């Protein structure tokens, strides 16, 4: 789950000796006071509070790479200025990869400008089809 940036919050049995309930959130959401409490039938109830931020109140801007203004020629020149044969001599594949990765990151930092963007209220599950259905329902 961590590879998909999800975190499971229930860590104790909720049905017999098994964890039957999943409360998974992205890492930027906060679950507080999670308790496995009263028993209802064969299962136990889970009590918790979820802290979320109203997406409409986000005002933070973030910096992203501006791919339209990249100076690829200078990036190529910088990448070509290194003597990779010397840098990578007597290194294993992992070390060579890390050297190459660091050199690319350095060239990117030097020659790829950044721009500031505002966050969007982009909800990937809210597709064009769903928007169309909501509009049709509201206009009927």
């Amino acid at each position: 789950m961590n590879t998909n940036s999800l975190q499971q919050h229930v860590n104790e049995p909720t049905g017999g000796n098994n964890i039957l309930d999943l409360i998974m959130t992205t890492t930027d959401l906060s679950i507080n006071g999670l308790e496995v409490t009263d028993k209802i039938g064969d299962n136990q109830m889970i009590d918790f509070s979820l802290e979320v931020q109203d997406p409409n109140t986000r005002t933070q801007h973030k910096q992203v790479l501006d791919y339209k203004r990249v100076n690829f020629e200078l990036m190529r020149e910088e990448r070509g200025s290194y003597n990779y044969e010397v840098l990578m001599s007597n290194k294993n594949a992992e070390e060579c990869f890390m050297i190459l990765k660091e050199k690319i990151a350095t060239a990117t930092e030097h020659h790829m400008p950044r721009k500031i963007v505002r966050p969007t209220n982009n909800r990937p599950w809210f597709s064009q089809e769903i928007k169309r259905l909501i509009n049709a329902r509201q206009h009927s």
Side-chain angles (χ1 to χ4, degrees):
M1 282 186 285
N2 285 342
T3 58
N4 294 319
S5 298
L6 293 175
Q7 182 178 356
Q8 160 66 326
H9 295 276
V10 179
N11 297 317
E12 56 185 280
T14 57
N17 292 328
N18 301 309
I19 297 176
L20 300 179
D21 298 283
L22 298 177
I23 298 178
M24 298 185 335
T25 63
T26 55
T27 54
D28 59 347
L29 291 178
S30 180
I31 296 280
N32 292 318
L34 188 133
E35 279 185 81
V36 177
T37 59
D38 303 333
K39 194 167 189 163
I40 301 174
D42 292 338
N43 299 316
Q44 292 188 259
M45 188 169 68
I46 298 174
D47 185 31
F48 65 93
S49 63
L50 174 65
E51 287 184 27
V52 293
Q53 182 180 15
D54 181 359
N56 295 325
T57 62
R58 280 193 226 163
T59 57
Q60 293 181 351
H61 295 71
K62 64 180 180 177
Q63 283 192 353
V64 297
L65 295 172
D66 188 353
Y67 293 100
K68 291 181 181 177
R69 296 186 9 219
V70 178
N71 190 333
F72 287 108
E73 188 58 40
L74 287 176
M75 282 184 75
R76 279 187 211 96
E77 284 178 23
E78 183 171 337
R79 273 194 350 249
S81 70
Y82 300 116
N83 187 340
Y84 291 103
E85 199 170 309
V86 171
L87 286 171
M88 296 182 182
S89 66
N90 300 321
K91 305 274 192 299
N92 64 31
E94 181 71 22
E95 292 169 324
C96 290
F97 171 75
M98 293 307 290
I99 290 169
L100 184 61
K101 181 179 169 186
E102 186 253 320
K103 296 302 180 191
I104 290 171
T106 301
T108 300
E109 188 67 34
H110 291 159
H111 307 292
M112 190 176 294
R114 296 181 181 271
K115 64 181 178 180
I116 297 176
V117 295
R118 291 185 316 172
T120 62
N121 292 331
N122 191 8
R123 297 168 287 202
W125 62 89
F126 201 72
S127 66
Q128 290 294 329
E129 178 66 15
I130 292 172
K131 288 179 189 177
R132 186 186 63 75
L133 291 169
I134 289 172
N135 285 337
R137 183 185 67 193
Q138 288 175 346
H139 290 76
S140 61

